[in-house]
């Protein structure tokens, strides 16, 4: 799997690109010299997926510790710059919407013993209703639907924390099903997706991970579930080709934006986040619904839709710092945008009907999205693949939700 950007140790700097044509209403976040986005999962060999969560960390604190200084205490309060549930709901015009208790499934690898405890801390902090195993809101299963949960993995546990907190932020009344794959192989994760699809009440399944472009002929059966919205992160590599399962013809591929408050009527501005994965699959079929959107891809184009992913403008999350302790931090990556979109599919209650794939809906309802028309994910031979503009583009698809009428 390709590296995201230039990496030094485990830290990398992700700076939001500003297009020269960016409208004045979209204020880009100013990068802090001491803060960087750190991957929580590393590079992996072919056939194995990496999670896409990025943690926003203070590089100066890490350097001070390496030089014999004192470690910075774990934060007991949410970071002031992190998005809250109220922010997410305001930005995407979903405040007050209810799902009626539909279930959003989260598929991740490995175990997370303190998941229920940490989710409780997050939801209590922001005044959200309790979501526990005992009250039926939270369910945790292994990849085969049983209770033999896999071993702890710190990176994937961070990913899971981000996912469940993101669903909670967008859809406080959604039930949450977490299915934990034994390993991060595409086949194990795919088995977990198939298990999630069989559970009653599941309206959407989020997948915040990926590997290289793979063929639906090999793995597509895991993700082909008409009537259930299956979302997948496009990755944090910028314009660099497709990532599977986002490159599958059966899923909704979710890119990422930078999201900031401004003085517009909406109250928020968005541009394409520079890390948002975009590209054309070399093996999987184009979406029929996208045929008139000028993707210039002979096969499957990514992304279809987007939501906030820039770590600088990311979500406040309560996540594990070890197998026993947890603390607050700010997270992003397209690992954030995928569960947000999955939760909004659950709020819509449509998901395409029992015989349709949910990834067609954004194209048939493109007027119900915020068109993201600035920002870039790199250099490409065909501008829409890496440069955000009016209409469809690779980094953000048809845009970000304005309510859930487009889903």
């Amino acid at each position: 799997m390709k590296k995201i950007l230039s990496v030094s140790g485990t830290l990398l700097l992700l700076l939001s690109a500003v297009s020269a044509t960016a409208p004045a209403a979209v204020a880009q976040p100013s990068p802090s010299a001491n803060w960087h986005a750190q991957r929580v999962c590393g590079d992996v060999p072919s056939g194995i997926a990496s999670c896409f969560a990025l943690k926003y960390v203070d590089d100066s604190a890490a350097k001070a510790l390496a030089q014999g200084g004192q470690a910075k205490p774990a934060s007991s309060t949410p970071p002031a710059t992190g998005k809250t549930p109220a922010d997410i709901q305001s930005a995407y015009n979903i405040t007050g919407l209810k799902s009626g208790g539909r279930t959003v499934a989260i598929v991740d690898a490995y175990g997370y013993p303190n998941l229920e405890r940490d989710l409780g801390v997050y939801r209590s902090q922001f005044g959200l209703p309790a979501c526990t195993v005992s009250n039926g809101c939270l369910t945790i299963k292994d990849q085969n639907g049983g209770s033999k949960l896999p071993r702890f993995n710190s990176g994937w546990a961070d990913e899971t924390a981000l996912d469940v907190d993101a669903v909670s932020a967008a859809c406080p009344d959604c039930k949450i099903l977490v299915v934990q794959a034994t390993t991060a192989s595409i086949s194990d994760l795919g088995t977990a997706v198939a298990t999630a699809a069989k559970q009653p009440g599941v309206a959407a399944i989020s997948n915040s991970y990926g590997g290289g472009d793979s063929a639906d002929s090999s793995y597509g059966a895991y993700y082909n579930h008409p009537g259930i919205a299956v979302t997948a992160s496009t990755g944090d590599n910028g314009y660099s080709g497709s990532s599977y399962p986002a490159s599958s013809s059966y899923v909704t591929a979710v890119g990422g934006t930078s999201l900031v408050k401004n003085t517009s009527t909406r109250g928020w501005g968005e541009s394409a986040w520079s890390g948002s994965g975009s590209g054309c699959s070399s093996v999987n079929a184009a979406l029929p619904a996208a045929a008139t959107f000028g993707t210039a891809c002979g096969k499957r184009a990514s992304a279809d839709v987007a939501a906030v992913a820039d770590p600088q403008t990311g979500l406040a999350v309560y996540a594990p710092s070890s197998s026993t302790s947890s603390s607050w931090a700010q997270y992003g990556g397209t690992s954030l945008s995928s569960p947000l979109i999955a939760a909004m599919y659950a709020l819509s209650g449509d998901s395409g009907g029992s015989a349709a794939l949910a990834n067609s809906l954004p194209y048939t309802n493109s007027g119900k999205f915020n068109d993201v028309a600035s920002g870039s994910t790199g250099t490409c031979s065909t501008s829409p693949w890496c440069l955000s503009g009016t209409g469809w583009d690779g980094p953000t698809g048809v845009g970000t939700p304005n309510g859930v009428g487009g889903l």
Side-chain angles (χ1 to χ4, degrees):
M1 184 177 180
K2 297 177 181 175
K3 293 183 183 296
I4 293 178
L5 290 171
S6 176
V7 180
S8 174
T10 58
L11 298 179
L12 65 158
L13 180 64
L14 295 175
L15 300 178
S16 297
V18 184
S19 167
T21 59
V26 180
Q28 287 286 354
S30 298
S32 169
N34 294 328
W35 287 83
H36 299 76
Q38 176 181 314
R39 297 174 60 174
V40 304
C41 293
D43 288 332
V44 293
S46 177
I48 304 296
S50 181
C51 74
F52 292 136
L54 297 173
K55 182 178 181 180
Y56 204 43
V57 298
D58 185 352
D59 191 33
S60 61
K63 289 179 179 178
L65 181 61
Q67 294 168 1
Q70 295 295 314
K72 184 178 180 180
S75 178
S76 59
T77 57
T81 56
K83 295 294 185 294
T84 67
D87 290 332
I88 296 298
Q89 293 169 33
S90 169
Y92 297 117
N93 193 24
I94 55 175
T95 303
L97 298 184
K98 303 290 185 182
S99 74
R102 297 185 188 93
T103 298
V104 177
I106 297 297
V107 170
D108 283 313
Y110 302 109
Y112 177 10
N114 294 318
L115 168 60
E116 182 178 16
R117 180 199 70 184
D118 290 355
L119 179 60
V121 172
Y122 178 85
R123 294 177 71 103
S124 176
Q125 173 68 36
F126 294 112
L128 306 180
C131 186
T132 66
V133 172
S134 62
N135 71 11
C137 173
L138 176 66
T139 304
I140 306 171
K141 293 181 178 291
D142 64 34
Q143 69 180 45
N144 298 310
S147 58
K148 189 177 181 180
L149 303 181
R151 63 180 175 83
F152 173 77
N153 176 280
S154 60
W156 280 92
D158 270 21
E159 173 65 63
T160 307
L162 169 60
D163 292 342
V164 297
D165 288 0
V167 171
S168 298
C171 183
D173 83 313
C174 280
K175 294 179 179 179
I176 300 174
L177 165 66
V178 177
V179 185
Q180 299 176 340
T182 304
T183 74
S185 72
I186 294 294
S187 57
D188 279 351
L189 288 160
T191 297
V193 173
T195 292
K198 296 174 184 176
Q199 308 308 307
V202 170
I205 304 170
S206 176
N207 304 275
S208 292
Y209 57 84
D213 191 18
S214 297
D216 276 335
S217 58
S218 297
Y219 300 110
Y222 292 129
Y223 299 93
N224 184 8
H225 302 289
I228 296 175
V230 182
T231 66
S233 305
T234 59
D236 304 336
N237 291 328
Y239 174 71
S240 59
S242 294
S243 169
Y244 198 86
S247 67
S248 170
S249 300
Y250 301 117
V251 311
T252 300
V254 186
T257 66
S258 298
L259 174 70
V260 295
K261 286 186 177 180
N262 65 15
T263 58
S264 66
T265 301
R266 178 186 171 195
W268 297 89
E270 285 181 287
S271 61
W273 171 51
S274 59
S276 179
S278 61
C280 302
S281 173
S282 62
V283 291
N284 295 321
L287 302 189
T292 62
F293 281 76
T295 68
C297 288
K299 294 187 181 294
R300 209 290 192 224
S302 297
D304 301 316
V305 297
V308 59
D310 184 349
Q312 285 192 96
T313 68
L315 187 72
V317 173
Y318 193 72
S321 49
S322 71
S323 60
T324 58
S325 61
S326 300
S327 64
W328 289 96
Q330 186 168 314
Y331 286 78
T334 52
S335 278
L336 168 57
S337 53
S338 178
L340 289 177
I341 294 295
M344 287 183 246
Y345 267 115
L347 285 171
S348 79
D350 187 344
S351 299
S354 60
L357 291 172
N359 60 12
S360 67
L361 294 173
Y363 294 98
T364 57
N365 300 299
S366 60
K368 297 179 181 178
F369 288 79
N370 304 302
D371 191 7
V372 181
S374 65
S376 170
T377 60
T379 302
C380 55
S381 59
T382 303
S383 292
W385 295 348
C386 64
L387 183 64
S388 202
T390 302
W392 181 92
D393 55 71
T396 65
V398 300
T400 63
N402 179 13
V404 297
L407 300 170

